[in-house]
Amino acid sequence: MRFPLIPAFLFSLLIAACLAAGAWMTEGSLLKAYRGILESRFDIALDRVAEGATHAASLGVGLESQEATLGAALRRERALDADILGMAVQDAQGRRLYGDGLLPDPAPPGTLGQNLLDDLGLPAGRILLRYDPRALEAPSAEIRQDMRRHALPVVAGAALLGLLAALALRAGRDGRGRLRLPLALALILGGGLFLMDHQALRIIDRTLNPLIETKVESIGNGARSLIDKALALGIPLDQLQGVPDYFESLRRHYPELERIGLKSPSGDAAAPAGGLLLPIPAGGPAKAVLEVVPDNRHAAAQIHGLLLDTAFLGLVALLIGFEMLSLLTQTSVFRKSSDASGVRATGPLPAEQVRGVLFVFMMAEELNRPFLPTLTVDLLPAGVAHAPLLVSLPIVVFMAIVALGQIPMALWSEHLGRRRGLMLGAAVAGIGYGLCAFADSYSGLLLARALSALGFTLVFTSAQGYVVDQADPAARTAGLAVFIRAILTAALCAPPLGGFLAEHFGGGTAFLAASGLCLAALCLARVMMSAARPSDRPRTAWLAPDALRETWRIPGMRSLLLGCAVPAKLILTALCFFLVPLILSNEGHSLSSIGRVQMIYPLMMVLCVPLFAHWGETPGHDVRPRKIILGGLIAGLAVVPVLFWPGLGAIMVFLFLLGLGQALSITPQSSMMATYAHHGQGRHSAQVLGLFRLVERGGSAAGPALAGAALGLAGPAATLALFGLLTTGGALLYGYGQWRSVSNVSGSLS
């Protein structure tokens, strides 16, 4: 039996969509890099003019009185760069004082500017610069044309290969066909992304490197004009003061500049490789030569960063492709095609029905991980008190609503029906994310996040209930494993996409994408999930306070919750979701790189949870407490590298160790909770699981608030140490409780 035609066609479209998305993101990265280098070239002119104006203002000379000197500086900068159309000076109130060239008032969009400060640090005015838009438009159009001309045959060829591979593979009863399809997807996607990376490298060599050389030439021309001015005033070249220090300051300020210095003129002197020799003075017999050499390593760093972005986006596309392929195999079209081919159709398990829906929806929330703290900082009023705590509140409000809404939303979704509850929750969350996109105030963002949390809680509890409602315990256990994998895969895929969208198009666009994902999840739920009514299942009773108190008294429950489950959520939300993005943003890392870094934790969970699930287990010997203690110690001690060797590398090590520790402890924690849920007489499993989720989610809500308060009072290092101590101490206390329990049992038996 061959792979059905309709799913094979959709499979090829999936490959084409992933590669097209990779090409589009690569094109966006190229355009952003080009624009950044181009505008940094004009920033040099702004820096030189602003330096002289600020120095004069510090001596008490106002901008109105600097028209002769500052106007001459504007004319000099325009003469040095033909792409500068006009420059102008504004006062502190934004009124145009004087200028040179073509710069309309008001300034058109795209005009660059730099503020001028007086000696007290107060705004004194602003320098404006308008450059020729053709300097950006023509190369940008060339980049787009080259990238699309190369990407089109790659995407079409990959789609054709995917179609042929799907039709050629045989789906046997042993499931080998299902293994071959993901392998074919990986090979085709990987080959397509490699070809696109190669084209991106060629475009970079053709566009970015010449632009960097032009920028370095502009730096050299500016330095030469100052030396020419000193020579025109009659100062001998060998008596110029401060020239080496000035050159060193230029080299430190502009990373693209490898070397700049004065040399004696020589008729046979050749320019260094990639460098320039500028005669001094410019219009007469050369008295000296200014040697300017660009730093090729800076261009290599630009290439490395771009290709790293593309590689991570390709990995994300690959993972999304696997999930979409899994979703595709569960569609009614696929099953009908299988029936027509003579294969016995068995309906998908409930967990498989809800997996794709949950994956798409969870990506909506995970998109904001890299940029939400910095977006909140931008919305805070200037000089507000307790700023770190306020920055944490959008995360705290979301987590608190999710924690408090677990039990009531679970019961409501049972009353509505799981599918209806999930669809309603996706609609509410989509509206909330849409409001986040247009929030222009801190309070508006908080309200939008609260609405998103309500929808998120209803979706989560409905999806979980859809799996737990199954009567077969084995199917329920396997379904929960599928449920968790969908969440972790979404956490792995979404942060780099969210960081990329926020960096290139703004946080509002990323929130709109999240709203669109909610709409897609709603439609998938309508198609994929069965519409079982509440009457088809026994109703769950409301949990009485006495029942929760009885559950709380189960031996070992409190130590596991307070010693391990709560600290695990505290350190995850406080550091991974709140503090790490803030630290990396303050260190100057891009949102795309923050998103890539945040992939480390879920990647460790995805890889290590199955590996550690049965590690060390032997019949008759319960090693779950030891695994929980060891995992907590690893997670708590993960903050040590950041404390002693702060930087990006240390944060990556921290996330690696945190993921390793929590992957080791999460499965035995869940297993022990299941044991407590079925232990003793008169205790319903829903009571134990409800209490566990409530306390665990409460830790998720408290983590960012505690981190925000500690950050404002003691700084990042003390905050990291606090959460490391909480996690390590909790694991040790749980271990002490386990040792006491074993000792008491041994004593009673003797």
mmCIF file of all heavy atoms in Angstrom, residues 137-171:
data_model
loop_
_atom_site.group_PDB
_atom_site.id
_atom_site.type_symbol
_atom_site.label_atom_id
_atom_site.label_comp_id
_atom_site.label_asym_id
_atom_site.label_seq_id
_atom_site.Cartn_x
_atom_site.Cartn_y
_atom_site.Cartn_z
ATOM 1 N N GLU A 137 17.157 51.795 -0.533
ATOM 2 C CA GLU A 137 16.129 51.110 -1.333
ATOM 3 C C GLU A 137 16.729 50.237 -2.423
ATOM 4 O O GLU A 137 16.305 49.092 -2.612
ATOM 5 C CB GLU A 137 15.195 52.156 -1.954
ATOM 6 C CG GLU A 137 14.335 52.883 -0.925
ATOM 7 C CD GLU A 137 13.604 54.061 -1.533
ATOM 8 O OE1 GLU A 137 13.828 54.335 -2.741
ATOM 9 O OE2 GLU A 137 12.832 54.711 -0.817
ATOM 10 N N ALA A 138 17.708 50.756 -3.143
ATOM 11 C CA ALA A 138 18.269 49.976 -4.257
ATOM 12 C C ALA A 138 18.961 48.701 -3.769
ATOM 13 O O ALA A 138 18.674 47.608 -4.277
ATOM 14 C CB ALA A 138 19.220 50.850 -5.070
ATOM 15 N N PRO A 139 19.871 48.759 -2.772
ATOM 16 C CA PRO A 139 20.468 47.497 -2.291
ATOM 17 C C PRO A 139 19.439 46.571 -1.646
ATOM 18 O O PRO A 139 19.545 45.346 -1.783
ATOM 19 C CB PRO A 139 21.515 47.966 -1.271
ATOM 20 C CG PRO A 139 21.804 49.386 -1.637
ATOM 21 C CD PRO A 139 20.515 49.928 -2.142
ATOM 22 N N SER A 140 18.438 47.141 -0.943
ATOM 23 C CA SER A 140 17.414 46.283 -0.331
ATOM 24 C C SER A 140 16.629 45.541 -1.397
ATOM 25 O O SER A 140 16.323 44.346 -1.248
ATOM 26 C CB SER A 140 16.474 47.128 0.537
ATOM 27 O OG SER A 140 17.163 47.723 1.613
ATOM 28 N N ALA A 141 16.283 46.247 -2.467
ATOM 29 C CA ALA A 141 15.574 45.573 -3.563
ATOM 30 C C ALA A 141 16.440 44.488 -4.186
ATOM 31 O O ALA A 141 15.945 43.406 -4.553
ATOM 32 C CB ALA A 141 15.160 46.605 -4.613
ATOM 33 N N GLU A 142 17.739 44.741 -4.286
ATOM 34 C CA GLU A 142 18.640 43.733 -4.844
ATOM 35 C C GLU A 142 18.727 42.512 -3.935
ATOM 36 O O GLU A 142 18.737 41.371 -4.412
ATOM 37 C CB GLU A 142 20.030 44.339 -5.041
ATOM 38 C CG GLU A 142 21.030 43.388 -5.670
ATOM 39 C CD GLU A 142 22.406 44.023 -5.815
ATOM 40 O OE1 GLU A 142 22.535 45.243 -5.544
ATOM 41 O OE2 GLU A 142 23.341 43.293 -6.190
ATOM 42 N N ILE A 143 18.768 42.746 -2.612
ATOM 43 C CA ILE A 143 18.809 41.632 -1.661
ATOM 44 C C ILE A 143 17.538 40.791 -1.783
ATOM 45 O O ILE A 143 17.577 39.557 -1.836
ATOM 46 C CB ILE A 143 18.992 42.157 -0.225
ATOM 47 C CG1 ILE A 143 20.404 42.721 -0.040
ATOM 48 C CG2 ILE A 143 18.730 41.050 0.792
ATOM 49 C CD1 ILE A 143 20.625 43.395 1.296
ATOM 50 N N ARG A 144 16.388 41.473 -1.831
ATOM 51 C CA ARG A 144 15.119 40.741 -1.958
ATOM 52 C C ARG A 144 15.089 39.928 -3.257
ATOM 53 O O ARG A 144 14.682 38.764 -3.264
ATOM 54 C CB ARG A 144 13.944 41.723 -1.930
ATOM 55 C CG ARG A 144 13.703 42.397 -0.595
ATOM 56 C CD ARG A 144 12.380 43.151 -0.618
ATOM 57 N NE ARG A 144 12.185 43.915 0.586
ATOM 58 C CZ ARG A 144 12.493 45.207 0.713
ATOM 59 N NH1 ARG A 144 13.006 45.865 -0.330
ATOM 60 N NH2 ARG A 144 12.299 45.843 1.842
ATOM 61 N N GLN A 145 15.497 40.561 -4.332
ATOM 62 C CA GLN A 145 15.449 39.880 -5.625
ATOM 63 C C GLN A 145 16.370 38.668 -5.633
ATOM 64 O O GLN A 145 15.982 37.576 -6.092
ATOM 65 C CB GLN A 145 15.834 40.856 -6.736
ATOM 66 C CG GLN A 145 15.758 40.270 -8.137
ATOM 67 C CD GLN A 145 16.136 41.291 -9.194
ATOM 68 O OE1 GLN A 145 16.495 42.424 -8.882
ATOM 69 N NE2 GLN A 145 16.054 40.885 -10.458
ATOM 70 N N ASP A 146 17.593 38.818 -5.128
ATOM 71 C CA ASP A 146 18.537 37.705 -5.121
ATOM 72 C C ASP A 146 18.040 36.566 -4.235
ATOM 73 O O ASP A 146 18.127 35.389 -4.614
ATOM 74 C CB ASP A 146 19.904 38.182 -4.632
ATOM 75 C CG ASP A 146 20.624 39.026 -5.666
ATOM 76 O OD1 ASP A 146 20.126 39.106 -6.807
ATOM 77 O OD2 ASP A 146 21.660 39.623 -5.331
ATOM 78 N N MET A 147 17.526 36.914 -3.056
ATOM 79 C CA MET A 147 17.089 35.879 -2.128
ATOM 80 C C MET A 147 15.881 35.133 -2.672
ATOM 81 O O MET A 147 15.808 33.896 -2.600
ATOM 82 C CB MET A 147 16.764 36.511 -0.771
ATOM 83 C CG MET A 147 16.651 35.509 0.364
ATOM 84 S SD MET A 147 18.245 34.734 0.718
ATOM 85 C CE MET A 147 17.691 33.171 1.391
ATOM 86 N N ARG A 148 14.936 35.875 -3.241
ATOM 87 C CA ARG A 148 13.719 35.220 -3.740
ATOM 88 C C ARG A 148 13.996 34.424 -5.016
ATOM 89 O O ARG A 148 13.408 33.358 -5.222
ATOM 90 C CB ARG A 148 12.637 36.271 -3.971
ATOM 91 C CG ARG A 148 12.176 36.904 -2.668
ATOM 92 C CD ARG A 148 11.197 38.038 -2.869
ATOM 93 N NE ARG A 148 10.899 38.684 -1.594
ATOM 94 C CZ ARG A 148 10.085 39.726 -1.452
ATOM 95 N NH1 ARG A 148 9.484 40.249 -2.522
ATOM 96 N NH2 ARG A 148 9.868 40.243 -0.251
ATOM 97 N N ARG A 149 14.879 34.950 -5.866
ATOM 98 C CA ARG A 149 15.213 34.223 -7.089
ATOM 99 C C ARG A 149 15.890 32.894 -6.761
ATOM 100 O O ARG A 149 15.690 31.892 -7.459
ATOM 101 C CB ARG A 149 16.113 35.090 -7.967
ATOM 102 C CG ARG A 149 16.402 34.457 -9.323
ATOM 103 C CD ARG A 149 17.152 35.407 -10.234
ATOM 104 N NE ARG A 149 18.425 35.803 -9.682
ATOM 105 C CZ ARG A 149 18.763 37.065 -9.368
ATOM 106 N NH1 ARG A 149 17.897 38.045 -9.571
ATOM 107 N NH2 ARG A 149 19.948 37.347 -8.871
ATOM 108 N N HIS A 150 16.667 32.882 -5.693
ATOM 109 C CA HIS A 150 17.327 31.650 -5.290
ATOM 110 C C HIS A 150 16.379 30.747 -4.505
ATOM 111 O O HIS A 150 16.435 29.513 -4.641
ATOM 112 C CB HIS A 150 18.555 31.981 -4.433
ATOM 113 C CG HIS A 150 19.342 30.785 -4.019
ATOM 114 N ND1 HIS A 150 20.271 30.173 -4.838
ATOM 115 C CD2 HIS A 150 19.336 30.075 -2.870
ATOM 116 C CE1 HIS A 150 20.804 29.145 -4.209
ATOM 117 N NE2 HIS A 150 20.258 29.058 -3.008
ATOM 118 N N ALA A 151 15.510 31.342 -3.667
ATOM 119 C CA ALA A 151 14.655 30.537 -2.791
ATOM 120 C C ALA A 151 13.531 29.850 -3.556
ATOM 121 O O ALA A 151 13.104 28.745 -3.184
ATOM 122 C CB ALA A 151 14.064 31.411 -1.686
ATOM 123 N N LEU A 152 13.034 30.471 -4.615
ATOM 124 C CA LEU A 152 11.889 29.911 -5.333
ATOM 125 C C LEU A 152 12.171 28.509 -5.874
ATOM 126 O O LEU A 152 11.388 27.579 -5.624
ATOM 127 C CB LEU A 152 11.466 30.863 -6.457
ATOM 128 C CG LEU A 152 10.221 30.448 -7.244
ATOM 129 C CD1 LEU A 152 9.018 30.350 -6.322
ATOM 130 C CD2 LEU A 152 9.947 31.447 -8.377
ATOM 131 N N PRO A 153 13.264 28.292 -6.612
ATOM 132 C CA PRO A 153 13.512 26.905 -7.069
ATOM 133 C C PRO A 153 13.814 25.950 -5.930
ATOM 134 O O PRO A 153 13.483 24.757 -6.023
ATOM 135 C CB PRO A 153 14.717 27.054 -8.011
ATOM 136 C CG PRO A 153 15.354 28.346 -7.645
ATOM 137 C CD PRO A 153 14.263 29.234 -7.166
ATOM 138 N N VAL A 154 14.429 26.451 -4.848
ATOM 139 C CA VAL A 154 14.700 25.572 -3.707
ATOM 140 C C VAL A 154 13.392 25.103 -3.078
ATOM 141 O O VAL A 154 13.205 23.903 -2.789
ATOM 142 C CB VAL A 154 15.583 26.293 -2.666
ATOM 143 C CG1 VAL A 154 15.701 25.468 -1.394
ATOM 144 C CG2 VAL A 154 16.965 26.562 -3.242
ATOM 145 N N VAL A 155 12.465 26.041 -2.856
ATOM 146 C CA VAL A 155 11.177 25.688 -2.252
ATOM 147 C C VAL A 155 10.396 24.754 -3.172
ATOM 148 O O VAL A 155 9.847 23.732 -2.726
ATOM 149 C CB VAL A 155 10.366 26.964 -1.947
ATOM 150 C CG1 VAL A 155 8.948 26.613 -1.510
ATOM 151 C CG2 VAL A 155 11.060 27.783 -0.867
ATOM 152 N N ALA A 156 10.341 25.072 -4.477
ATOM 153 C CA ALA A 156 9.596 24.226 -5.416
ATOM 154 C C ALA A 156 10.223 22.838 -5.522
ATOM 155 O O ALA A 156 9.519 21.816 -5.533
ATOM 156 C CB ALA A 156 9.540 24.899 -6.789
ATOM 157 N N GLY A 157 11.544 22.795 -5.595
ATOM 158 C CA GLY A 157 12.212 21.495 -5.691
ATOM 159 C C GLY A 157 12.020 20.653 -4.445
ATOM 160 O O GLY A 157 11.810 19.435 -4.524
ATOM 161 N N ALA A 158 12.072 21.293 -3.261
ATOM 162 C CA ALA A 158 11.866 20.555 -2.015
ATOM 163 C C ALA A 158 10.439 20.021 -1.927
ATOM 164 O O ALA A 158 10.208 18.891 -1.469
ATOM 165 C CB ALA A 158 12.173 21.456 -0.819
ATOM 166 N N ALA A 159 9.470 20.840 -2.377
ATOM 167 C CA ALA A 159 8.082 20.373 -2.363
ATOM 168 C C ALA A 159 7.906 19.169 -3.290
ATOM 169 O O ALA A 159 7.225 18.190 -2.943
ATOM 170 C CB ALA A 159 7.150 21.508 -2.779
ATOM 171 N N LEU A 160 8.522 19.218 -4.459
ATOM 172 C CA LEU A 160 8.424 18.094 -5.388
ATOM 173 C C LEU A 160 9.094 16.847 -4.814
ATOM 174 O O LEU A 160 8.548 15.733 -4.892
ATOM 175 C CB LEU A 160 9.059 18.473 -6.726
ATOM 176 C CG LEU A 160 9.061 17.389 -7.811
ATOM 177 C CD1 LEU A 160 7.631 16.966 -8.151
ATOM 178 C CD2 LEU A 160 9.794 17.880 -9.059
ATOM 179 N N LEU A 161 10.266 17.024 -4.198
ATOM 180 C CA LEU A 161 10.941 15.884 -3.577
ATOM 181 C C LEU A 161 10.105 15.298 -2.448
ATOM 182 O O LEU A 161 10.037 14.081 -2.264
ATOM 183 C CB LEU A 161 12.309 16.317 -3.048
ATOM 184 C CG LEU A 161 13.418 16.519 -4.079
ATOM 185 C CD1 LEU A 161 14.672 17.046 -3.404
ATOM 186 C CD2 LEU A 161 13.716 15.216 -4.813
ATOM 187 N N GLY A 162 9.472 16.183 -1.679
ATOM 188 C CA GLY A 162 8.621 15.693 -0.597
ATOM 189 C C GLY A 162 7.452 14.885 -1.115
ATOM 190 O O GLY A 162 7.102 13.837 -0.549
ATOM 191 N N LEU A 163 6.835 15.355 -2.197
ATOM 192 C CA LEU A 163 5.718 14.620 -2.788
ATOM 193 C C LEU A 163 6.175 13.252 -3.294
ATOM 194 O O LEU A 163 5.535 12.216 -3.035
ATOM 195 C CB LEU A 163 5.111 15.440 -3.924
ATOM 196 C CG LEU A 163 3.946 14.799 -4.680
ATOM 197 C CD1 LEU A 163 2.763 14.568 -3.760
ATOM 198 C CD2 LEU A 163 3.552 15.660 -5.872
ATOM 199 N N LEU A 164 7.303 13.221 -4.005
ATOM 200 C CA LEU A 164 7.800 11.955 -4.548
ATOM 201 C C LEU A 164 8.216 11.006 -3.428
ATOM 202 O O LEU A 164 7.959 9.793 -3.495
ATOM 203 C CB LEU A 164 8.977 12.215 -5.481
ATOM 204 C CG LEU A 164 8.656 13.002 -6.761
ATOM 205 C CD1 LEU A 164 9.925 13.267 -7.553
ATOM 206 C CD2 LEU A 164 7.628 12.261 -7.611
ATOM 207 N N ALA A 165 8.852 11.551 -2.381
ATOM 208 C CA ALA A 165 9.275 10.696 -1.274
ATOM 209 C C ALA A 165 8.075 10.100 -0.556
ATOM 210 O O ALA A 165 8.069 8.914 -0.192
ATOM 211 C CB ALA A 165 10.135 11.499 -0.294
ATOM 212 N N ALA A 166 7.029 10.911 -0.342
ATOM 213 C CA ALA A 166 5.841 10.416 0.350
ATOM 214 C C ALA A 166 5.144 9.333 -0.467
ATOM 215 O O ALA A 166 4.649 8.345 0.083
ATOM 216 C CB ALA A 166 4.881 11.568 0.631
ATOM 217 N N LEU A 167 5.090 9.513 -1.781
ATOM 218 C CA LEU A 167 4.442 8.509 -2.624
ATOM 219 C C LEU A 167 5.279 7.237 -2.736
ATOM 220 O O LEU A 167 4.734 6.140 -2.920
ATOM 221 C CB LEU A 167 4.188 9.087 -4.017
ATOM 222 C CG LEU A 167 3.151 10.226 -4.093
ATOM 223 C CD1 LEU A 167 3.102 10.799 -5.496
ATOM 224 C CD2 LEU A 167 1.781 9.721 -3.661
ATOM 225 N N ALA A 168 6.594 7.377 -2.653
ATOM 226 C CA ALA A 168 7.463 6.213 -2.804
ATOM 227 C C ALA A 168 7.539 5.369 -1.539
ATOM 228 O O ALA A 168 7.774 4.164 -1.606
ATOM 229 C CB ALA A 168 8.868 6.654 -3.207
ATOM 230 N N LEU A 169 7.342 6.006 -0.357
ATOM 231 C CA LEU A 169 7.466 5.263 0.899
ATOM 232 C C LEU A 169 6.243 4.386 1.118
ATOM 233 O O LEU A 169 5.119 4.757 0.801
ATOM 234 C CB LEU A 169 7.621 6.237 2.068
ATOM 235 C CG LEU A 169 8.926 7.034 2.100
ATOM 236 C CD1 LEU A 169 8.902 8.044 3.211
ATOM 237 C CD2 LEU A 169 10.108 6.093 2.267
ATOM 238 N N ARG A 170 6.471 3.239 1.701
ATOM 239 C CA ARG A 170 5.369 2.329 2.004
ATOM 240 C C ARG A 170 5.087 2.374 3.501
ATOM 241 O O ARG A 170 5.987 2.267 4.321
ATOM 242 C CB ARG A 170 5.722 0.896 1.589
ATOM 243 C CG ARG A 170 5.938 0.753 0.099
ATOM 244 C CD ARG A 170 6.148 -0.707 -0.269
ATOM 245 N NE ARG A 170 6.325 -0.852 -1.702
ATOM 246 C CZ ARG A 170 5.337 -0.927 -2.573
ATOM 247 N NH1 ARG A 170 4.088 -0.860 -2.141
ATOM 248 N NH2 ARG A 170 5.566 -1.057 -3.857
ATOM 249 N N ALA A 171 3.823 2.546 3.832
ATOM 250 C CA ALA A 171 3.415 2.591 5.240
ATOM 251 C C ALA A 171 2.975 1.197 5.671
ATOM 252 O O ALA A 171 1.829 0.804 5.485
ATOM 253 C CB ALA A 171 2.276 3.593 5.425
#
